[in-house]
Amino acid sequence: MIEKHIVLEDIDPVIFYGVGNTNLQMLKSLFPKLRIAARDNVMRILGDEEQMATLEENVETMRKHVLKFNSLKSEDILDIVKGKKTHEEAPDGVVVYSMSGRPIKARSENQQKLVDAYIRNDMVFAVGPAGTGKTYLSIALAVKALKEKTAKKIILSRPAVEAGEKLGFLPGDMKEKIDPYLQPLYDALEDMLPATKLQEMMEKHVIQIAPLAFMRGRTLSDAVVILDEAQNTTPAQIRMFLTRMGWNTKMIITGDMTQIDLPRTQLSGLREALDILNGVEGIGIVELNRKDIVRHKLVTRIVNSYEAYDKKMNKADKPAVTGTMPPPGT
């Protein structure tokens, strides 16, 4: 009789053990010659050597299943123990799975272009209106890289540009003032990673969320780095950000040219960067449009209405051309 400890790395043990330890109890019944105990992310196995080797192999398969799908059901355990594929084996195109088990993948042609551009290039610009999935899909790609260990960390950033409310008038310390700007990034991460694992990753700086100003002086290596809302950067800020790129790093820069919160006299750094870097080898540029909107159907209608309004106003602002010269002295 031998004893062995199995460590469940990179997953939430609560998902693995099941609600009320139902999955753990099932393993005990499937392997009657073994005594199985669990505490936190460590399983303690005592008993028959042959069954222990089989259990260890199955537990590793289950661990990978949880890592990929964020779930482990009783039927999955039975399939794995029988040597079969589980019902949730990934269909083509899935990037990662949400905490509810929903497959996260490209849902339009341009979203697929974003995924393809990320695979082919080290730097990708994704530009389009609200609701086209730019940020969400970008974070999914980053989480996939972290799970597959092709990146050691995720770094997410946004410019803290006021949209009607000044930072100094918001309550709390600097972190509390900045957090509202970064909330959409937290929301996406919480949808893809277990809460306890996300908290642990943030405490260990495996996942870092910071305002753009905190990037100065850093070299970002072995990471997937995402700059969200880049339309609100100045030319100097985005140049500083882009030159932080280190070895084995991929960057995704997202933005929406219709939602620039900079002063009217200030040129958007994203607009300038797209003009300067278009055609540079290793840089992909993907433009999304209202056909890619995956939010409520009203969002598409709102975007269409505002686009029509902008065109009308731009046309009204242009001076009329009469074809005659003004009289001298005017």
Side-chain angles (χ1 to χ4, degrees):
M1 188 174 289
I2 61 172
E3 180 178 332
K4 194 158 195 176
H5 290 185
I6 301 175
V7 180
L8 303 173
E9 294 181 345
D10 302 325
I11 64 170
D12 186 348
V14 174
I15 296 175
F16 187 93
Y17 300 142
V19 178
N21 286 334
T22 52
N23 292 345
L24 189 62
Q25 296 302 323
M26 188 174 191
L27 284 175
K28 289 179 179 180
S29 65
L30 290 170
F31 293 89
K33 294 182 181 180
L34 299 177
R35 292 174 59 188
I36 304 172
R39 184 171 183 178
D40 297 329
N41 67 330
V42 179
M43 294 179 67
R44 179 173 172 268
I45 319 295
L46 185 69
D48 179 76
E49 185 174 359
E50 187 177 341
Q51 271 210 2
M52 186 177 296
T54 304
L55 174 63
E56 188 174 10
E57 183 179 334
N58 288 331
V59 165
E60 177 58 16
T61 303
M62 293 172 201
R63 186 193 69 82
K64 289 178 179 177
H65 183 92
V66 173
L67 186 63
K68 189 173 187 178
F69 300 107
N70 285 319
S71 69
L72 184 66
K73 300 191 287 288
S74 58
E75 52 265 38
D76 298 327
I77 294 173
L78 286 172
D79 285 339
I80 290 169
V81 170
K82 291 176 181 178
K84 298 179 181 179
K85 286 187 176 181
T86 63
H87 295 292
E88 288 137 332
E89 282 303 314
D92 291 339
V94 173
V95 180
V96 291
Y97 282 78
S98 72
M99 289 308 300
S100 63
R102 175 176 55 86
I104 299 171
K105 59 181 180 178
R107 296 173 60 183
S108 69
E109 183 180 350
N110 287 326
Q111 284 191 2
Q112 187 59 52
K113 286 181 180 179
L114 171 55
V115 174
D116 295 340
Y118 171 84
I119 294 170
R120 292 194 306 267
N121 301 280
D122 288 337
M123 183 179 292
V124 178
F125 288 84
V127 184
T132 51
K134 307 180 300 293
T135 301
Y136 193 78
L137 190 55
S138 297
I139 291 178
L141 289 166
V143 169
K144 177 182 173 69
L146 201 61
K147 287 188 172 188
E148 294 180 349
K149 301 188 184 299
T150 56
K152 293 181 180 178
K153 54 184 177 284
I154 297 173
I155 301 171
L156 308 172
S157 186
R158 266 188 165 199
V161 176
E162 295 91 346
E165 200 169 14
K166 298 293 185 182
L167 274 174
F169 290 97
L170 293 174
D173 57 20
M174 180 55 70
K175 181 180 183 303
E176 290 170 329
K177 291 174 187 287
I178 290 170
D179 271 356
Y181 293 95
L182 306 176
Q183 192 58 48
L185 307 181
Y186 289 117
D187 292 343
L189 285 169
E190 287 170 355
D191 196 31
M192 300 177 203
L193 292 167
T196 54
K197 192 65 184 176
L198 175 58
Q199 185 64 33
E200 179 187 334
M201 286 179 169
M202 295 185 71
E203 288 173 356
K204 293 182 177 178
H205 302 291
V206 174
I207 295 178
Q208 303 172 27
I209 304 180
L212 182 60
F214 291 12
M215 294 293 172
R216 188 172 298 278
R218 298 183 65 183
T219 300
L220 309 175
S221 300
D222 298 310
V224 178
V225 187
I226 298 172
L227 174 60
D228 194 34
E229 300 288 355
Q231 77 276 1
N232 288 327
T233 60
T234 66
Q237 285 175 329
I238 200 165
R239 181 183 297 193
M240 177 274 292
F241 174 82
L242 297 178
T243 54
R244 301 304 94 199
M245 193 173 192
W247 294 106
N248 190 37
T249 287
K250 283 183 177 271
M251 281 188 168
I252 307 176
I253 300 93
T254 71
D256 177 3
M257 289 305 187
T258 67
Q259 294 191 16
I260 298 175
D261 297 317
L262 295 167
R264 288 185 175 273
T265 55
Q266 176 66 66
L267 174 67
S268 167
L270 177 59
R271 191 184 300 278
E272 183 185 76
L274 291 171
D275 291 338
I276 294 171
L277 300 177
N278 188 23
V280 174
E281 185 179 354
I283 298 178
I285 297 176
V286 179
E287 294 188 14
L288 299 100
N289 54 51
R290 56 179 179 266
K291 293 180 181 177
D292 302 299
I293 293 175
V294 292
R295 292 182 185 168
H296 193 285
K297 59 185 178 182
L298 273 179
V299 176
T300 304
R301 297 172 190 168
I302 291 168
V303 171
N304 290 344
S305 297
Y306 270 95
E307 281 187 0
Y309 175 79
D310 289 341
K311 287 179 182 177
K312 181 180 177 181
M313 295 304 295
N314 288 337
K315 188 176 181 180
D317 288 342
K318 290 181 180 177
V321 179
T322 61
T324 60
M325 295 292 289
T330 60

